[in-house]
C-alpha cells in the first residue's frame, strides 16, 4: 500500500489540471542508482505497462511497476510548504539508509548498486 496524503493529493491534482494530456495518473517507482542504492521516480504518465499495479490513495490513481512495489510497500508521499516554496517528501518504512537529499535509499534486503557520486 502506498499513501499519498490529502495535502499531496491536492498539489498533484493542481499539477494534473495544468497538463494538457487527458487521463494522466501518478506513476511511482524505484530504479537502481543514487548514492544509497535506489532512487525514487515519480511523475505523470498516461500509459500502462505489463506488470503495473494500480492503487488508489485519497482519490488519486497511483500506478507502480510490480518490481518497485516490494520496495515501496508502506510508502507515504506528502507535500510540505517551506519558506522558499514547497516540495514532496517521501517516508519509506523499508529504507534502512537514506541519502541526505532524501531521493535515494537502501533496504535491509537489497542494497542496489550505490553510485560513487554524492547526492
Amino acid at each position: 500500500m502506498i499513501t499519498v496524503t490529502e495535502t499531496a493529493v491536492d498539489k498533484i491534482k493542481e499539477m494534473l489540471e495544468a497538463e494538457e494530456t487527458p487521463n494522466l495518473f501518478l506513476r511511482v517507482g524505484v530504479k537502481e542508482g543514487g548514492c544509497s542504492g535506489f532512487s525514487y521516480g515519480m511523475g505523470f504518465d498516461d500509459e500502462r505497462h505489463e506488470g503495473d499495479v494500480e492503487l488508489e490513495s485519497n482519490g488519486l490513481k497511483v500506478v507502480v511497476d510490480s518490481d518497485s512495489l516490494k520496495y515501496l510497500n508502506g510508502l507515504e508521499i506528502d507535500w510540505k510548504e517551506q519558506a522558499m516554496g514547497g516540495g514532496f517528501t517521501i517516508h519509506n518504512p523499508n529504507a534502512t539508509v537514506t541519502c541526505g537529499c532524501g531521493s535515494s535509499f537502501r533496504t535491509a534486503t537489497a542494497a542496489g548498486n550505490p553510485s560513487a557520486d554524492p547526492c
Side-chain angles (χ1 to χ4, degrees):
M1 170 110 186
I2 293 175
T3 302
V4 184
T5 66
E6 287 185 42
T7 305
V9 167
D10 290 344
K11 190 64 175 177
I12 292 167
K13 286 183 176 179
E14 178 183 312
M15 295 167 76
L16 281 169
E17 288 174 9
E19 296 292 323
E20 295 182 13
T21 306
N23 303 318
L24 288 175
F25 52 82
L26 180 67
R27 178 175 290 281
V28 179
V30 299
K31 63 181 180 176
E32 286 191 15
C35 358
S36 296
F38 292 103
S39 294
Y40 296 107
M42 186 170 80
F44 299 135
D45 199 350
D46 62 352
E47 293 184 29
R48 289 197 173 84
H49 308 286
E50 188 174 329
D52 280 350
V53 176
E54 184 177 320
L55 310 167
E56 185 176 315
S57 181
N58 283 315
L60 179 71
K61 188 185 319 179
V62 180
V63 175
V64 182
D65 65 277
S66 58
D67 291 336
S68 295
L69 196 56
K70 61 186 169 194
Y71 303 113
L72 300 177
N73 190 32
L75 186 83
E76 180 185 77
I77 300 170
D78 196 9
W79 174 265
K80 300 286 184 192
E81 287 291 338
Q82 299 174 358
M84 300 297 287
F88 291 102
T89 61
I90 296 176
H91 172 70
N92 186 346
N94 304 297
T96 57
V97 174
T98 58
C99 179
C101 63
S103 64
S104 68
F105 68 100
R106 183 178 312 142
T107 66
T109 58
N113 263 336
S115 168
D117 297 331
C119 289

